[in-house]
Amino acid sequence: MLEPEHDPSVIDLGIFVEQPPEVAWRALTQPESLARWLSPTIGFEPVVGTTFIVQVEVPDKPAAEMACQILAADEPNQLTYSWTDLRGDPPRRWLIDYQLHPHGRGTRLMWHMSGFDIEDKYQRFARNGIERSWDRTLLPKLAAEINALGASD
């Protein structure tokens, strides 16, 4: 059987944490947790329709503000939001989706980011940099935050 062809406009990553989905959900939805592993937020609530800002540090530049909106919030299974970089001309908009699956004594957390136009040189470059950043830095920081929350229970 042939595997379906990977869509290069989508980033698919995953991690396993030895905590239940409810703990992972808290790391994704509590503003103080988000600030520790991702970035500070303004106005974040895990409620469909909520708009919020993520303040992203950019090396050697002023912080970027990503305009976001919650599109799905199914506690503790799925959180999806738009992620719009208003600095682009036109602004660039992507979707970020977290899916939490119970797995043995822990959680399999799947992270997807979609909406890249790989025909656009800037977006292709951004996609590759974002994938490296999430794989090497942000998902390990998220796993550490989930484990710290679980240890404090």
Side-chain angles (χ1 to χ4, degrees):
M1 183 171 159
L2 292 174
E3 296 263 336
E5 187 174 322
H6 174 72
D7 182 347
S9 70
V10 177
I11 303 169
D12 290 308
L13 299 171
I15 58 172
F16 173 80
V17 291
E18 293 182 357
Q19 299 295 332
E22 294 76 16
V23 175
W25 179 261
R26 289 187 357 234
L28 293 174
T29 60
Q30 293 178 341
E32 60 276 8
S33 285
L34 280 167
R36 284 190 291 268
W37 71 267
L38 179 60
S39 285
T41 62
I42 299 169
F44 180 88
E45 287 185 66
V47 176
V48 172
T50 299
T51 57
F52 63 100
I53 298 291
V54 177
Q55 300 172 307
V56 178
E57 292 297 320
V58 180
D60 303 323
K61 294 183 181 178
E65 291 188 340
M66 301 298 165
C68 304
Q69 184 174 27
I70 301 289
L71 304 173
D74 177 20
E75 182 179 349
N77 305 305
Q78 181 181 19
L79 180 68
T80 307
Y81 50 84
S82 62
W83 179 272
T84 305
D85 185 350
L86 299 175
R87 298 170 301 166
D89 184 20
R92 313 284 189 207
R93 183 174 187 264
W94 300 283
L95 295 180
I96 293 180
D97 179 58
Y98 303 89
Q99 295 180 15
L100 303 145
H101 305 282
H103 189 87
R105 292 194 222 193
T107 301
R108 173 77 50 204
L109 188 149
M110 302 304 296
W111 179 85
H112 311 278
M113 189 168 185
S114 61
F116 294 96
D117 176 1
I118 59 166
E119 300 300 319
D120 177 295
K121 181 179 173 181
Y122 168 80
Q123 287 203 37
R124 190 172 54 247
F125 178 77
R127 183 226 176 271
N128 293 337
I130 290 167
E131 181 175 34
R132 281 190 303 276
S133 177
W134 277 84
D135 190 39
R136 296 177 186 169
T137 305
L138 291 170
L139 287 177
K141 285 174 71 175
L142 172 56
E145 177 66 16
I146 293 167
N147 288 325
L149 287 173
S152 68
D153 286 348

